[in-house]
Amino acid sequence: IHSAVKIDPHYAGPVVHVQDASRSVGVVEKLVNPAARAAYAAAVKAEYRRLREVHQSGRGRQPLLDLATARQRRFRCDWTTVDIVRPAHLGVHVYDRINLGTIAEKIDWGPFFHAWELRGAYPALLSDPVKGAEARKLYADAQTMLDEIIAHSRLTARAVIGLFAANSVGDDLVFWRDDTRREVAATFPMLRQQSDRGEGRPCFSLADFVAPVESGVADYAGVFAVTAGIGVDELVAHYHAEHDDYSAIMVKALADRLAEALAELMHEEVRKHLWGYAPDEALSHEDLIRERYRGIRPAPGYPACPDHSEKRTLFRLLRVEETIDLHLTESCAMTPTAAVSGFYLAHPDATYFSVGRIAADQVADYAARKGMSIAEVERWLRPNLEE
C-alpha cells in the first residue's frame, strides 16, 4: 500500500513492492525481459491504481479514535490472577557459536519456497502436480548446500538474550536494572491501535501485556537479538567470484531461514529453561510453526511495533554489537541481514496485532515520550500516519 499510494504516482517507471529482497528474483526476471517488461509493468501500474482507490475509500469508512479514547479501550485483565513467573536466570546471556545442525532442525521451509516464488504449503508443495518437480529440485539443492554449511561451519550463529524485571508505565515498557525496580535500564515507548474496532474490542498496545507499575505486580519481560549470518558475505562473495549466482542466492535464503530457526530455538530455550514459565512444554515442529505456545516475540519494524528505531535501545541494552558482532545501519537495518531481534512477552493472552494507522495526537505523544521531534517520528512511521 505504501508503494502504491506514496511512491508509484510520482514515478513514471515500474514501482514494484516485494516482501523481502530474496523475492525480487522473479520480479527482476520480468523487468529485464524485453518481451515481458511492458506488459508486466502495465499490469503492476493498474493493480497499484486499484489499490490506491481501495485505500482511499477505506480510509473514509474507518475513522480513528482520539488517543485518550483508544487508551480507555486498552486490553485489560485482573493482574492478580495472571500466572507470572520470575525468570530462573535474570540478566543478559550470550550464546556463541550455536550448533548449526541443531538450528536446522527448527527450519520452517514454507517461506524458503516463497522466496523463490514457489507458492504453496510445505511439504504438500513437493508433490504438487505442476510445481512439485521444481520444488523437489530446489529442496534437494538446499539440503546439499545446508549439509555443506553445517559440515564445514561456513556460517556462525550467535545470540544474546536479556530477561529483566519490567512494568508498563502508560504505553511505555520499562525494563528495570534489577528486582528492586528502582533504576531504569531501558524504556521502550509503544504505539497503540487507534482504529475504531468497536467498544467490545480492545485497542492493543504491546505495553498492555506487561503489568502496569501502579498495579504493584512484579512482572518481567525480555529482549533478544540473534544472527545466523556471520560469514555469509564472504560465502556469497566466493560464489560470485565463481559466477555462481544461483548458489549465492541460495546461501542468502538459507541464512535467512537459519536466523528465523535460531529465533525459534532461543525462544523455546527461554520458555522452558532461561525464563522457565513453560518447563513442561512438549510441542511438535508443526506446533512451533503454528506458534501454539505461550507468549510472543514481536520485533521492532513489524506491525505491533512498527518503529525500527527501537532497535537502537534494544542494541544498547544488550550490547549487541560488542557481544555477537551484529550491527545496525543508519536506517536500523541489521547487518548481517540474516538476523532477528525483538521482545519476549509471556502474558498468557499476549497476541500479535497490527498498530495500523495512527493520528496526529499519538504522533505528538509518541515523539514526546521518545524525546524526538515530530518530524523525525513521522519519518520513521510514515506508512502508519493518518492522511
Side-chain angles (χ1 to χ4, degrees):
I1 296 299
H2 179 76
S3 298
V5 174
K6 298 288 188 179
I7 303 174
D8 181 67
H10 304 288
Y11 187 59
V15 172
V16 186
H17 173 264
V18 293
Q19 292 295 330
D20 59 62
S22 62
R23 300 189 184 188
S24 64
V25 177
V27 171
V28 172
E29 286 179 343
K30 296 182 180 72
L31 291 175
V32 300
N33 183 346
R37 176 185 168 92
Y40 176 69
V44 173
K45 285 282 185 186
E47 173 63 9
Y48 282 13
R49 280 195 298 273
R50 185 190 69 81
L51 289 175
R52 284 195 293 276
E53 292 170 1
V54 171
H55 180 72
Q56 294 299 335
S57 62
R59 282 177 179 268
R61 294 195 300 269
Q62 297 178 341
L64 296 183
L65 301 169
D66 62 80
L67 183 57
T69 301
R71 284 173 170 165
Q72 289 173 0
R73 296 187 185 180
R74 67 187 298 124
F75 167 80
R76 298 181 185 277
C77 69
D78 181 355
W79 284 98
T80 63
T81 66
V82 177
D83 176 28
I84 293 176
V85 177
R86 184 185 188 276
H89 304 280
L90 280 173
V92 176
H93 310 271
V94 179
Y95 297 79
D96 197 21
R97 296 186 178 276
I98 305 166
N99 185 278
L100 292 174
T102 303
I103 299 171
E105 295 174 1
K106 299 291 184 182
I107 289 179
D108 176 5
W109 287 100
F112 170 81
F113 292 102
H114 297 169
W116 293 87
E117 300 294 330
L118 282 174
R119 300 293 177 179
Y122 172 84
L125 180 64
L126 299 178
S127 56
D128 184 274
V130 176
K131 307 173 187 175
E134 185 178 356
R136 288 192 297 273
K137 179 183 183 304
L138 187 64
Y139 184 67
D141 291 345
Q143 293 300 315
T144 299
M145 179 166 284
L146 185 60
D147 289 344
E148 166 75 10
I149 289 171
I150 294 171
H152 298 283
S153 300
R154 303 296 191 196
L155 301 176
T156 299
R158 295 174 179 153
V160 56
I161 290 169
L163 299 178
F164 295 86
N167 288 103
S168 60
V169 178
D171 287 349
D172 292 346
L173 280 182
V174 174
F175 284 43
W176 306 102
R177 286 284 176 200
D178 53 43
D179 242 341
T180 65
R181 300 175 190 260
R182 296 193 185 103
E183 183 182 355
V184 174
T187 299
F188 296 93
M190 294 296 166
L191 292 163
R192 181 172 298 282
Q193 293 175 321
Q194 285 188 270
S195 295
D196 190 350
R197 295 151 45 85
E199 291 192 26
R201 300 179 64 189
C203 294
F204 285 116
S205 168
L206 290 178
D208 294 347
F209 303 128
V210 179
V213 68
E214 63 269 18
S215 71
V217 173
D219 207 351
Y220 302 88
V223 280
F224 72 93
V226 306
T227 179
I230 306 296
V232 71
D233 290 341
E234 293 80 1
L235 199 50
V236 168
H238 164 75
Y239 286 118
H240 279 318
E242 294 187 344
H243 307 289
D244 186 355
D245 291 341
Y246 175 70
S247 293
I249 295 171
M250 180 67 77
V251 165
K252 293 179 182 178
L254 287 174
D256 287 343
R257 287 296 88 217
L258 285 168
E260 294 290 345
L262 177 54
E264 192 69 76
L265 179 67
M266 299 315 298
H267 196 186
E268 184 177 32
E269 170 70 11
V270 165
R271 295 191 304 272
K272 296 172 70 172
H273 305 293
L274 204 61
W275 192 331
Y277 61 80
D280 300 322
E281 178 183 286
L283 299 177
S284 68
H285 184 62
E286 178 67 17
D287 289 334
L288 292 174
I289 291 174
R290 299 295 180 188
E291 298 172 344
R292 293 172 180 149
Y293 44 72
R294 172 178 163 178
I296 58 175
R297 57 170 190 272
Y302 283 77
C305 179
D307 183 0
H308 281 279
S309 72
E310 286 304 296
K311 292 177 196 165
R312 292 172 177 165
T313 303
L314 187 155
F315 270 53
R316 284 194 298 269
L317 179 62
L318 296 180
R319 298 179 62 247
V320 173
E321 296 187 343
E322 300 95 318
T323 54
I324 64 171
D325 200 24
L326 179 63
H327 304 270
L328 289 179
T329 67
E330 289 183 358
S331 59
C332 291
M334 292 181 287
T335 59
T337 56
V340 184
S341 63
F343 304 92
Y344 291 133
L345 303 177
H347 192 291
D349 295 325
T351 185
Y352 293 103
F353 60 91
S354 176
V355 166
R357 291 183 301 135
I358 60 174
D361 58 350
Q362 183 162 197
V363 172
D365 178 270
Y366 188 68
R369 288 188 283 135
K370 282 181 69 77
M372 275 186 178
S373 69
I374 290 177
E376 179 72 357
V377 165
E378 288 178 338
R379 185 173 74 84
W380 286 106
L381 296 177
R382 183 68 59 187
N384 296 85
L385 301 181
E386 180 184 32
E387 292 185 347

